[in-house]
Amino acid sequence: MGLADARSFCPELQTCEHSPQADQAFQDGLLRWAKRYCPWVGKDRGDGLLLDVTGSAHLSGGEAAMLQDMRVRLVQSRLTVRIGLADTVGAAWALARFGEGCAQTGQTGQAINALPVASLRITINEDTALQRLGIKTVGQLADLPRATIGQRFGPSVLMRLDQALGQQAESISPEETQQTYATRLTIPEPIGLAKDVMAGVERLLLPLCEKLARDVCGARVLCLMCRRIDGVDQSVELRLARALRDPHRILPLFAKGVDGINAGFGIDQLRLVATQVEPLPVEQITARPTEHDNGGLHDLMTRLGNRIGLENIQRFLPADSHIPERSYIISPAAWSDPTGSWGATNPRPIRLFPPEYVAAQGHRPPGRFRWRAMSFTVGRITGPERIAPEWWFEDENWRHGVRDYWKVETREGHRLWMFHTPQNPCWFVQGIFA
């Protein structure tokens, strides 16, 4: 049904945009919570969980007490929940989706006999085919000869029936829980001063960085969430130019963001989360001091990056090409290292720009020429250096053949990088040396 038609039936209908990422994050959080009951927890599509409580139910006082505890806790969190418990995954799924209840041990077939055949996790086409033949419940399907089921409806229907009745084994694949790096501080008396918040951040950073150090990791993005007494959350995100786990370096970087927090009537809880974590190289502890990277430069990049964006702080890196325009790449400084070396054997100009035409003739630089409305007299020349085009790239500017580059020093003090195109005799200026 379209939204306009739905509103005609229910004018008070409230809608919001669907966020699959938010649904997945919520399901991941629910999965971590469910591990309080058993260690084997897996996801069921996008809206359910599968728990293998074998050998764990007695820790909660039995199966009935465990289900009641689940229901109470989830209802208190304002969640609508349907729970099914059985000897097999298929029967538990059927009870949770179509019946809701607890099947006694050894009575799985009796518990699901009255459920519709759609509870066997079969496809829509298979369900429709069974309904047309008058087979509406699991019990009716189970009473049919097995050979008839396989021949008429395919092996998948028979497999689902056997899985639900326990005649074919089916296991739960537990989801790997992502490691979380978070610390929380509850304050007995509300605070509102920036220095008090910074003191709380310092207390949170110490255990967080210790946990990162144990896993040989560093935080790249940190999020500080401050809960006010009126229930409103204030957050400060800190994006680091390099992954860090040193609390003494991270703490001062929070100062600007903390100053902008609106404490309202007071803050009673702080939570610090490392939302992006990267592995760091193992540090060898020796008696001799080791050389470290320039931490001051990275801290400066962090301060500037949180104002203008880390991706806007860029650096030039050498590229493997002898073409002047392709001899470098521009990369964000926060995600690249100043590594590599320039492959050109001859010096290159500091300033490089698109070729600019110069009126001159001959295969050697002219004695006098005009460029940018200025007259120049050549004093000394060095060259030529012939550069051929890279045929595997389609570059319109280099389709006319080779270029002969010259380093030209003028009597007016300019040091120009000029080139001549022999195949189409013309002169151009492409760069200026320092």
Side-chain angles (χ1 to χ4, degrees):
M1 181 180 294
L3 180 59
D5 296 335
R7 288 190 184 278
S8 65
F9 288 98
C10 182
E12 298 82 10
L13 181 66
Q14 297 182 1
T15 62
C16 62
E17 293 185 2
H18 176 230
S19 175
Q21 296 80 7
D23 289 347
Q24 183 177 358
F26 177 77
Q27 191 179 23
D28 292 339
L30 198 62
L31 186 144
R32 292 194 299 270
W33 170 84
K35 288 194 173 183
R36 65 184 295 133
Y37 299 104
C38 66
W40 289 77
V41 183
K43 292 182 180 180
D44 177 30
R45 302 180 180 179
D47 58 350
L49 296 176
L50 294 173
L51 285 73
D52 188 354
V53 297
T54 304
S56 302
H58 69 281
L59 300 176
S60 302
E63 294 178 351
M66 182 182 64
L67 296 184
Q68 181 64 20
D69 184 68
M70 287 184 185
R71 190 181 306 277
V72 170
R73 291 179 182 273
L74 293 173
V75 170
Q76 288 177 350
S77 300
R78 300 180 182 179
L79 295 178
T80 302
V81 59
R82 298 178 62 91
I83 304 176
L85 180 65
D87 294 339
T88 64
V89 174
W93 191 93
L95 290 172
R97 301 277 178 169
F98 294 87
E100 188 174 13
C102 177
Q104 299 296 327
T105 304
Q107 299 180 1
T108 301
Q110 300 177 8
I112 65 174
N113 274 341
L115 298 181
V117 290
S119 64
L120 295 177
R121 297 175 294 175
I122 58 178
T123 64
I124 297 178
N125 293 334
E126 293 169 343
D127 181 29
T128 304
L130 290 170
Q131 296 280 354
R132 288 175 178 175
L133 295 178
I135 303 173
K136 301 182 181 299
T137 64
V138 177
Q140 294 175 347
L141 180 63
D143 292 339
L144 295 177
R146 292 180 57 86
T148 303
I149 298 175
Q151 291 174 359
R152 302 194 62 174
F153 307 108
S156 62
V157 175
L158 189 59
M159 179 192 67
R160 289 302 189 185
L161 178 62
D162 291 342
Q163 288 178 344
L165 297 178
Q167 298 175 4
Q168 184 171 342
E170 184 180 7
S171 60
I172 296 176
S173 299
E175 295 287 336
E176 181 182 359
T177 304
Q178 298 292 332
Q179 180 68 283
T180 57
Y181 299 92
T183 52
R184 178 180 299 173
L185 175 64
T186 302
I187 305 169
E189 293 292 336
I191 61 175
L193 299 179
K195 64 176 183 179
D196 296 334
V197 177
M198 289 296 293
V201 174
E202 183 178 8
R203 294 185 59 181
L204 293 174
L205 273 173
L206 293 176
L208 180 64
C209 292
E210 290 177 358
K211 189 175 183 180
L212 291 170
R214 286 196 302 268
D215 295 340
V216 197
C217 297
R220 194 62 183 267
V221 180
L222 291 164
C223 183
L224 173 65
M225 287 169 282
C226 306
R227 190 187 66 183
R228 303 191 319 197
I229 58 176
D230 57 358
V232 178
D233 291 336
Q234 297 282 313
S235 62
V236 177
E237 186 182 59
L238 178 64
R239 303 175 63 192
L240 302 173
R242 285 292 184 272
L244 294 178
R245 59 169 179 254
D246 185 359
H248 302 291
R249 287 183 56 186
I250 299 176
L251 180 62
L253 303 176
F254 269 108
K256 184 179 183 300
V258 170
D259 290 339
I261 291 178
N262 180 13
F265 294 102
I267 297 171
D268 60 358
Q269 187 182 92
L270 300 175
R271 188 168 185 263
L272 184 63
V273 183
T275 57
Q276 184 176 341
V277 178
E278 295 180 1
L280 291 178
V282 179
E283 297 180 358
Q284 181 176 356
I285 301 176
T286 60
R288 299 178 58 185
T290 57
E291 295 182 359
H292 297 279
D293 57 351
N294 191 351
L297 176 60
H298 297 154
D299 293 348
L300 176 61
M301 291 167 52
T302 299
R303 295 178 186 275
L304 296 177
N306 283 278
R307 296 183 181 182
I308 64 175
L310 283 174
E311 63 279 358
N312 295 323
I313 303 176
Q314 301 175 338
R315 62 159 51 101
F316 291 93
L317 296 176
D320 187 14
S321 176
H322 59 271
I323 301 298
E325 296 88 341
R326 299 198 189 103
S327 61
Y328 67 92
I329 58 175
I330 300 176
S331 178
W335 290 278
S336 61
D337 295 319
T339 57
S341 59
W342 303 99
T345 56
N346 297 317
R348 293 290 185 258
I350 299 299
R351 295 178 55 191
L352 197 67
F353 42 80
E356 298 179 2
Y357 177 75
V358 173
Q361 296 180 354
H363 64 280
R364 294 176 62 85
R368 294 184 59 86
F369 63 92
R370 290 183 61 84
W371 172 62
R372 291 185 178 179
M374 296 182 292
S375 298
F376 295 95
T377 302
V378 176
R380 185 171 62 178
I381 60 175
T382 303
E385 176 190 359
R386 175 160 290 186
I387 298 180
E390 296 174 342
W391 55 266
W392 53 91
F393 287 113
E394 294 185 1
D395 192 341
E396 186 67 27
N397 297 327
W398 281 82
R399 284 187 175 182
H400 303 295
V402 300
R403 296 179 181 178
D404 292 334
Y405 280 87
W406 298 77
K407 181 180 178 181
V408 179
E409 299 183 16
T410 65
R411 298 186 183 277
E412 288 76 14
H414 291 73
R415 302 168 64 197
L416 306 178
W417 205 39
M418 304 177 62
F419 70 86
H420 177 254
T421 54
Q423 61 283 347
N424 183 19
C426 291
W427 280 94
F428 299 88
V429 176
Q430 193 176 3
I432 300 177
F433 291 89

